[in-house]
Amino acid sequence: MGNSMNIYVVRHGKTDWNTVKRLQGRSDTDLNQEGIEAAIRTGEALKDIPFDIAFTSPLKRAKETAELILQSRQVPVIEDERIIEISFGEYEGLISDPKHYEIPDKEFRNFFEHPENYHTPPGGESLTELGERTKDFMEDIMSRKELSGKTILVASHGCATRGILNSIRTFSIEDFWHGGVPKNCSVALIEVKDGIPRLVFEDKVFERETGL
């Protein structure tokens, strides 16, 4: 059936909003210096991966991460709305850190800790809706004949990358985070062979100097 497709899924680098636990969602924030350095480091670690194409969330922090990973490589970068971050609606821009908590819903932390009890904020998107669109993205990518045998970079966000990975495994909503929110610039690899996806690794972070 041809070669296997390799999909590298990366969460964007850190932003100033990440640092203070301010809810970003669809807010279009920039990488900070730490985020830029981590994306460059991730690109170094992946420099021998022969990327053919990249898909990115339309938000700057994901696009910048993809560009910093790819550097001077001539790889088409395509924006796709289906891998944008979950929307927090009216709560975007508010701080979720328990020490400086600004969110009207006192149980909002369920988003991270007990997703099965999460209340979608006013004007926001539910975890189910996010799951449907990220699954649609994956099914589309995996079925495209022109992408068969290709190596693909996907630059997305904490919640959306979990949606992407969950779309290829059996999971319950309680285990949405599968061990926690993925760290900034963490990498997962999905191998698709004969149309069947397999998660090779996830949550891999390339630290300073140490390589893998």
Side-chain angles (χ1 to χ4, degrees), residues 23 88 91 101 103 105-112 118:
L23 296 180
F88 294 116
Y91 297 170
Y101 197 77
I103 298 165
D105 179 359
K106 64 182 188 301
E107 295 181 353
F108 178 82
R109 295 286 307 172
N110 281 338
F111 177 70
F112 304 106
Y118 175 58

Side-chain angles (χ1 to χ4, degrees), residues 79-148:
E79 292 181 25
D80 196 307
E81 286 279 344
R82 292 172 296 182
I83 53 174
I84 199 169
E85 186 54 306
I86 196 168
S87 167
F88 294 116
E90 291 178 14
Y91 297 170
E92 297 215 351
L94 302 180
I95 291 176
S96 70
D97 186 327
K99 295 191 288 291
H100 305 283
Y101 197 77
E102 297 179 343
I103 298 165
D105 179 359
K106 64 182 188 301
E107 295 181 353
F108 178 82
R109 295 286 307 172
N110 281 338
F111 177 70
F112 304 106
E113 292 154 12
H114 296 286
E116 71 279 9
N117 298 327
Y118 175 58
H119 304 140
T120 304
E125 180 183 29
S126 71
L127 283 167
T128 305
E129 288 165 329
L130 171 119
E132 284 167 359
R133 63 177 168 82
T134 50
K135 183 171 186 166
D136 181 66
F137 168 79
M138 277 301 289
E139 288 177 346
D140 175 24
I141 296 306
M142 293 190 299
S143 67
R144 286 195 203 175
K145 295 233 179 345
E146 73 274 17
L147 296 178
S148 174

Side-chain angles (χ1 to χ4, degrees), residues 62-78:
K63 287 197 291 189
E64 289 168 2
T65 299
E67 286 159 10
L68 290 167
I69 288 172
L70 294 168
Q71 292 289 340
S72 59
R73 294 191 246 192
Q74 298 303 301
V75 175
V77 178
I78 296 162

